[in-house]
Amino acid sequence: MSEELEKLKSLGAQKIYEDTHIPVLHVQAILYSSFDSLQRVQFLGFISILEREYHVDLSSLKASGTAYFDDLDAQNLDESLVVIPNKKKQKSNIYLVIIIFFFGILIVYNLDYSSKEELVEPPVDNRLIQKVQETLKPSIEINTTVDSNTTVDLNA
């Protein structure tokens, strides 16, 4: 690896940039194994371009770069594994219980109120009944005064 890497270093970052259009800063980072300014995808892509253009084997450099990015990903994964409790879900459950409770009260109240309405009878207008009774009283008195042997037709 060192011979092939030395061959690339002897060409220089500017010449490699002119041939491959890889930015000079990235070429220098690859040549001197300083991977902090690169992303994993960029690094692997630049290595494959260098191998293709200059017919060199940079597998050991690729392995060291991949190991660097694996370590970096592991550190980032450890830092990002923080469990944050979902407080919104707990609050929404409380609100849901309160809403169900109030709907239950509303349903019970409506059932109770509707059953009271069914039991209450509408008031009856007794004036009409009294008028009819008053008109019938004289005809009933007449019928009672007639002889018991005589038949009276009440329909007449």
Side-chain angles (χ1 to χ4, degrees):
M1 173 192 107
S2 63
E3 293 174 9
E4 295 165 340
L5 192 56
E6 289 300 323
K7 176 182 173 186
L8 291 176
K9 283 182 184 178
S10 67
L11 286 174
Q14 185 63 35
K15 174 69 173 149
I16 294 174
Y17 163 72
E18 291 170 3
D19 293 341
T20 62
H21 299 289
I22 299 172
V24 175
L25 292 175
H26 294 306
V27 172
Q28 288 176 344
I30 292 171
L31 294 178
Y32 297 104
S33 300
S34 174
F35 307 121
D36 349 348
S37 63
L38 297 170
Q39 299 288 325
R40 178 189 296 264
V41 176
Q42 288 177 323
F43 170 74
L44 293 174
F46 294 156
I47 292 292
S48 65
I49 290 171
L50 292 173
E51 287 177 336
R52 182 187 68 225
E53 289 295 318
Y54 296 107
H55 306 288
V56 291
D57 182 25
L58 299 175
S59 58
S60 60
L61 181 63
K62 186 188 288 188
S64 66
T66 304
Y68 169 80
F69 288 114
D70 287 342
D71 290 340
L72 188 64
D73 288 344
Q75 290 173 359
N76 290 340
L77 184 64
D78 289 340
E79 292 172 3
S80 67
L81 287 179
V82 176
V83 177
I84 299 172
N86 192 355
K87 292 183 180 181
K88 282 188 174 183
K89 189 172 185 176
Q90 293 172 353
K91 286 183 181 179
S92 67
N93 287 341
I94 291 170
Y95 292 134
L96 182 64
V97 169
I98 290 171
I99 290 171
I100 290 172
F101 177 73
F102 281 120
F103 275 124
I105 289 174
L106 185 65
I107 290 171
V108 169
Y109 177 74
N110 283 336
L111 287 176
D112 189 39
Y113 184 71
S114 64
S115 64
K116 285 181 183 177
E117 285 181 353
E118 292 172 2
L119 295 177
V120 175
E121 294 180 16
V124 178
D125 189 14
N126 289 333
R127 289 180 288 170
L128 182 62
I129 294 173
Q130 289 172 354
K131 222 179 205 185
V132 170
Q133 285 176 346
E134 288 173 4
T135 57
L136 288 178
K137 272 187 181 180
S139 66
I140 292 175
E141 289 175 4
I142 295 174
N143 287 341
T144 56
T145 58
V146 178
D147 224 5
S148 59
N149 292 337
T150 316
T151 28
V152 178
D153 187 16
L154 295 175
N155 290 333

